[in-house]
Amino acid sequence: MNEPAPEPSVTRVGDIAFDDAVRLLSAHGLQLHHVAAGAPIPGSYWGEPEAGIIASDVYVRDDTPVHSMLHEACHLIVLPPERRALVHTDATDSVPEEDATCYLQIVLAGQLPGVGSAQLMADMDAWGYTYRLGSTRAWFEHDAEDARAWLVERGLLVG
């Protein structure tokens, strides 16, 4: 019998102060909800332990990777309010939105105590995010100008 490979060691919601994450997401008009251990996560596209999204709500458990919480939250942040209100589970409808989401999650990790952008990028690599240049950091630093410009153009980042 083949047992499933263990999940990579990454920073989990239970490793950080939940109130810090609540404050960060609420600054962007989102509500963060804590789901009990072992309970299904509403709106989770990939299934547990990945974060879930429904409208302006983000759902996580203690075992949810922080990168997943931020990624799903950023999907909502990049959407205009009228589209955000319609989201249930899947928020992306374009490559530019996906790229902007990945970029913004790294930026927001830098504002989250106990995480930081460098740790989040390492966690993204460990989890299996893939980029042309071979790592999240290389993409962020050398190949993400279009994602950054997309965010600046929409007032989500300062130029």
Side-chain angles (χ1 to χ4, degrees):
M1 272 204 248
N2 289 339
E3 291 189 29
E7 288 185 347
S9 177
V10 297
T11 310
R12 307 282 176 155
V13 169
D15 298 331
I16 64 170
F18 192 77
D19 287 344
D20 290 339
V22 167
R23 275 190 291 281
L24 178 64
L25 298 191
S26 70
H28 296 278
L30 303 178
Q31 295 78 47
L32 183 62
H33 302 274
H34 189 266
V35 176
I41 299 176
S44 180
Y45 183 81
W46 298 105
E48 289 81 21
E50 298 280 347
I53 51 174
I54 301 172
S56 292
D57 298 299
V58 179
Y59 297 89
V60 297
R61 297 189 313 211
D62 283 347
D63 62 340
T64 298
V66 170
H67 69 81
S68 176
M69 174 191 73
L70 289 174
H71 186 85
E72 297 306 324
C74 288
H75 269 301
L76 297 176
I77 292 168
V78 303
L79 293 176
E82 64 276 6
R83 282 194 44 219
R84 183 187 295 180
L86 302 174
V87 169
H88 192 300
T89 308
D90 187 6
T92 298
D93 75 353
S94 73
V95 171
E97 280 183 9
E98 184 67 34
D99 291 348
T101 294
C102 289
Y103 192 95
L104 188 57
Q105 80 185 83
I106 295 165
V107 172
L108 291 187
Q111 300 169 19
L112 188 56
V115 183
S117 296
Q119 180 60 53
L120 190 84
M121 288 186 280
D123 287 352
M124 290 168 72
D125 289 344
W127 200 258
Y129 286 66
T130 58
Y131 296 97
R132 285 188 299 236
L133 299 182
S135 74
T136 305
R137 179 179 290 281
W139 171 79
F140 185 78
E141 293 176 352
H142 305 291
D143 193 32
E145 300 85 12
D146 53 344
R148 179 173 177 67
W150 194 97
L151 292 163
V152 169
E153 183 178 295
R154 286 157 180 80
L156 297 170
L157 277 182
V158 176

